Each structure stands twice: as structure tokens, then as C-alpha cells.
Amino acid sequence: MLNRANKNYNSDVLDSLARELKRPLVLMSKQAELNQSAPDKKHMELIRRTAEKALRLIDSYLLTAQSEYGQQLLPVESFGIGSVIYNVAEEIRPMAKQANIDVVLNVKDALVEANKEGVRAAIWCLSEMVLEHASSEPEKTAIEINARKSTDSVRISVLSKTIKVKNSDIKKAQRNLGGTHMALSSASSESGVRLAVAGLLGESLGTSLKAVREDNKQGLGFDLSLSSQLQLGIG
Amino acid sequence: MRVLIVEPSKDLAGVISDSFSQENIIADVAHTAQAGIAHADKNKPDIVVLELLMSDHNGLEFIHEFKSYQDWFDIPILIYSDLSSEELGKAVGWREDMNIIGHLYKPTASLKELKGYVKSAFNED
């Protein structure tokens, strides 16, 4: 039988899912309507991309629920941080190009043990935030994704010359990290809903989340431990 | 006619804007409340289409700030939101006071309905 806490949790999950899923579905319905009146390949591509976002969102909620009830453990594996950053950069480049922004990598590769998708989502989330900041600049600019290895950790940061990081940005990033649900769904990143498992991601990475300043660049970053496992899951 | 669309989703704002352009209606797009005010300052709109759910300021704050400028007080605002009428409440009074001409629930109101509503506000059917 469900106790009150579980009922509240279930209700929160359903409420969040409904609200977040509404966005891509609304977008798809309007994109389809526009395509009906003015058929265009570009519209169909947008519909496809939005549908993928909606599917990732559903998957992430499913994973959240399964993890919460102990039906699934989020895998922890060894991986090179460099390849993850490279993949994220490839994914955000088209978006950055539209905003006249270059994506530069400055990566010292390191082997970490963590939930790969969670870390990938976190880097994606920070990159998206810094991009959003930088895109308000009228002139061409760049964002830089860094990985710097120290004795027992690797610092991952996303920086730009043209942004200034405020306390509210840190709070927003922590909220967004809590809302990534281990998935690369930008559809979910705006709301910052905090669910139990997503909260673990927020706690694990969010607590070390900080404003990073290097030379004349500013941005957001977090430290990932090399020695201890970053267990993002229940169990 | 010039419409100012205040919509946080860039993709959706683009779709709405393209849809207005098909009708030869000039559409300016802003993704935040502050950008909306700045846009209106640059190009005075004939009507504002507003999403209430925004990350920086909420839409109600936008309405209050927008209506605090005397020059813009008579510019009608149409709420096109993910918030349903039930969620928005029945505060009809403030809507009339603020020249809010209507509320369309985004998930069920089509682009056609939106354009029809905007045009009817100016008797351009």
C-alpha cells in the first residue's frame, strides 16, 4: 500500500511528466499545422527532432521511476571524459552555429567512473546554459568546453569570454542539473523539476557546481572525482 | 499589423511567427519578459501574444510592467498559454482592467484560431 510520501512522490512525478511532455507535443502539433499550410522539409525535420525529445523525456521519467522503486540501478562504468565531451560538442555545434557561436574544446582526457549518461547530460546542460548566455551577444563569439585533470579529480567547465556568471546562474544550473533526469532532453531543462533520482544527480554534481573564472573567461563547472565512484542511482 | 510574440520556446516562437508571416502580419519575437519590453520599445506592437509561463519573470509581471507605460496601456494582450483557464483562475476583473482581450489554451487552440483571434481584434477577417 502506498504511504502518503509515496503518493506525493507519484503525484509530483505525474504532474511534472504531464507539464513537461505538454511542451514538445504542443510544439509538434503546431509544427504539423504549419506544415499543412506551407509544406516544407524544414518543418518535418523539426517535428522529427521534437518527437525525439519527447521520447527521451518519457524514457527519462521511466528510468527515474524504475530507479526510485529499485527496479533498475543506474550503471556506473569507466570511461574517458574526452570522448563524452567530444560527443556533446558535436551535438551542440549545429545549435551554436545558428547563434553564430563557435564551440572550442580544451580537453585533457581522464578516466572516470560514473554514470556516463548522467555526466553527459550534465555537460550538455551546462553547455546549453552558457550558449544561451553567449547567444545574447550580437557579435560572433565562442564557448569553450574544458577538462582539466588534477591529482584526484577532473574539473569540467564550460566558459566564454562574453558572459558574466551571477549567483542566480549557479542556482539555475543546479536546478537544471536536477531536471535533466539523466537524459539529454532539452525539453526538460527549463523547468528544473526535482525528482528523487534527478535530485541525486543534482546533489552529486550540483554541490560541486561552481562559477569558474580562467584568464578572461567565465562559466560554470564541476569536479568529478577520479578515485571514488559517482554513484548516480539507488542501491 | 504588427504582433509581438512573447514566447520562451524558440522553436515554438518561430512556428507562430512563420504562421503570422503567411498572413502578411509582421511578427516580432521575444523569448523573455525583459526582451519583450525592449522589443516593444523599439517597435510598438498593435497586439501582444503572451505565454504566461516564463523562466525569468512570469507573464503577469510582464503584463503589469507593460501596462505601466502609458503609451502601451491600450495595446491589447492575448494570452496564448500552456496554462488552462482553470489554472489561470477566474480573475476576469484584472483582465478587463489590463485590456486582456482573451485567453487561448495553447494545447488545444490551433494556429488558425490564434490568427483568427488576432485578426478579429482588428476586424481584419
Side-chain angles (χ1 to χ4, degrees), chain A residues 19 22-23 26-27 30-31 33-34 37-38 42-43 46 49 53 135, chain B residues 10-12 15 18-19 22 80 82 87 105-107 109-112:
Chain A
R19 284 183 189 284
K22 212 190 262 184
R23 287 188 197 150
V26 164
L27 180 57
K30 306 310 175 210
Q31 283 164 340
E33 188 187 345
L34 182 66
S37 59
K42 184 184 79 181
H43 299 152
L46 269 174
R49 269 191 5 227
K53 275 185 192 173
S135 63
Chain B
K10 289 180 183 170
D11 284 333
L12 185 57
V15 169
D18 285 352
S19 177
Q22 285 177 354
Y80 188 54
D82 277 340
E87 288 172 306
Y105 181 45
K106 211 188 273 170
S110 65
L111 293 171
K112 192 177 170 190

Side-chain angles (χ1 to χ4, degrees), chain A residues 88-213:
Chain A
V88 172
E90 285 303 294
E91 282 181 14
I92 63 167
R93 264 202 183 101
M95 207 194 320
K97 196 176 171 188
Q98 280 184 347
N100 206 19
I101 294 171
D102 285 334
V103 179
V104 180
L105 301 185
N106 186 0
V107 175
K108 179 84 178 164
D109 202 8
L111 201 64
V112 295
E113 284 190 68
N115 176 263
K116 194 173 175 181
E117 281 306 301
V119 172
R120 190 163 171 241
I123 300 170
W124 206 92
C125 179
L126 294 189
S127 303
E128 196 184 32
M129 276 192 75
V130 174
L131 257 187
E132 199 180 307
H133 259 290
S135 63
S136 57
E137 288 296 315
E139 287 172 14
K140 189 174 175 72
T141 181
I143 67 164
E144 187 178 296
I145 308 179
N146 283 332
R148 297 271 168 81
K149 194 178 166 185
S150 63
T151 323
D152 56 356
S153 68
V154 56
R155 172 168 292 181
I156 298 158
S157 59
V158 186
L159 309 170
S160 172
K161 278 182 185 173
T162 51
I163 68 163
K164 283 196 169 60
V165 178
K166 296 173 292 207
N167 282 340
S168 57
D169 293 320
I170 308 277
K171 283 186 185 146
K172 190 178 172 191
Q174 282 170 336
R175 226 169 38 231
N176 286 353
L177 280 177
T180 45
H181 310 318
M182 317 296 159
L184 300 178
S185 165
S186 63
S188 70
S189 67
E190 282 176 17
S191 69
V193 221
R194 296 193 67 88
L195 303 175
V197 172
L200 284 176
L201 175 65
E203 279 164 29
S204 303
L205 300 179
T207 47
S208 79
L209 191 74
K210 58 194 77 170
V212 177
R213 293 180 178 85

